[in-house]
Each structure stands twice: as C-alpha cells, then as structure tokens.
Amino acid sequence: MSTPNAFAGNSPLVWSQPKVMSREYHLNSGDENVGRLRFEKFSGSLATAEVASQNWTFKREGFLHPRVTVRAPNSEVNLAVFHPNWSGGGVVEFPDGRQIRWRHTSFWRSEWSFVEGEGRQLLLFKQHEGFLKISARLECDPANAAMPDLPMLAALGWYLMLLTAQDAAAAVSVAAIS
C-alpha cells in the first residue's frame, strides 16, 4: 500500500468503499491501493488512516467548540487540528502556525477543496454517491505533488466528507422520526 508519490502519477486517485455498509475506505491510483481510512467502531468518530506509507488518527472532539484532531498513532500530540465553521468548511491549523482552509467549491457541496493562502487549491475532492456507497475522486495540481502534508490532507478531506455525510444521514433520520 505504498507508492513513491501517488499524487504525481497519471492515474486518478479515488476514495471508495470496497464493501457496502463497511466503515473502511480505500484510496486507489488506478489498480494500486495507495491508502486506507478505517473507523475503529461501527459508531463513533475515531478513525485510522494510511496514505503513502504515512499514518494518522482522526477524531472529532467537543460539542460547543468542535474540532478534529490529527495525531500519529498512539500519540496525544496534535499534528494538526481542524476547526469547522458554520458553513461546513473550516481551517486546518498546524503547530507551526500554518493554516489551510477547507471549503466547498460547488453549490450542492459535492466538491470540496483544501486551499492555501490567497486561494491556491491544493486538493480537490469530487464526491459521487451511489446506492449505499460513497466515493470521491481527488484532483491534485502536479505542482503540489511533493507537498509533505498532501497525503494527510487527502485522508483528512475524505474523513471530513464522511463525517458530513454521516451527520446529514442522522439529521434525516431524526426528521423522519419527528
């Protein structure tokens, strides 16, 4: 499950769900598996991810001031923290002070991207929903392919999209019961 740089290749990168109702997802570049994201339990937000031989855990925390932490496995030190905003987007903050924004780029919120500085797009996620399955195609400008945080952002963006889909499904369920 490793490749020197899947983001520099010619094959499209696609997050997909290999099994219906599974909480495990694979990132493929053509026929090669280059990443994985797996939720640790059937319910809950703790997930482990691996992309390009790098590993992290993601976990949503807090209620009034929610955030998503990014950590190395078995560590309590944050490598990055995502702070959501009311529109569904937010900001990823790194310990060195860098910030990368997460925002939707389509009216229906089926496309999301990480943006740096004055609007330089780092990664674009194009979501596709099928019957009981969800997937997303990633697009990366080759000029960004060597960026050290790109594998983590590829996993974090997918994690954020999955949380959004999960929250939307829960809201529909509550509305249907009412």
Side-chain angles (χ1 to χ4, degrees):
M1 184 186 328
S2 66
T3 185
N5 192 341
F7 301 97
N10 293 329
S11 295
L13 290 167
V14 177
W15 278 109
S16 63
Q17 186 178 24
K19 296 179 183 174
V20 175
M21 303 301 288
S22 167
R23 292 193 82 199
E24 181 169 326
Y25 305 86
H26 293 176
L27 179 61
N28 293 312
S29 176
D31 293 333
E32 183 182 5
N33 182 266
V34 296
R36 179 178 61 87
L37 185 138
R38 181 175 50 89
F39 285 87
E40 295 300 308
K41 297 180 180 175
F42 184 72
S43 64
S45 67
L46 178 62
T48 56
E50 178 184 352
V51 175
S53 299
Q54 297 180 42
N55 297 285
W56 313 271
T57 62
F58 303 133
K59 183 166 178 46
R60 178 166 45 187
E61 300 176 344
F63 180 71
L64 294 176
H65 301 287
R67 65 189 193 147
V68 171
T69 58
V70 179
R71 297 176 176 168
N74 303 314
S75 173
E76 295 296 318
V77 177
N78 293 334
L79 300 174
V81 177
F82 173 75
H83 299 279
N85 60 29
W86 63 271
S87 68
V91 175
V92 179
E93 292 183 345
F94 294 89
D96 64 6
R98 279 181 311 124
Q99 295 186 344
I100 296 175
R101 290 179 312 213
W102 172 247
R103 66 179 188 193
H104 61 89
T105 57
S106 68
F107 179 76
W108 296 109
R109 298 180 183 220
S110 60
E111 293 183 9
W112 291 82
S113 66
F114 281 111
V115 178
E116 187 175 56
E118 295 299 316
R120 185 176 126 218
Q121 184 171 283
L122 303 175
L123 268 178
L124 175 67
F125 295 74
K126 293 184 174 185
Q127 181 176 331
H128 303 281
E129 290 192 43
F131 184 67
L132 300 176
K133 284 190 173 185
I134 183 173
S135 65
R137 181 180 175 133
L138 274 67
E139 294 181 6
C140 175
D141 183 327
N144 299 328
M147 183 180 167
D149 294 318
L150 209 57
M152 184 270 293
L153 292 174
L156 178 61
W158 182 237
Y159 175 83
L160 295 172
M161 291 178 79
L162 292 170
L163 286 184
T164 300
Q166 177 183 320
D167 292 348
V172 167
S173 295
V174 168
I177 294 170
S178 301

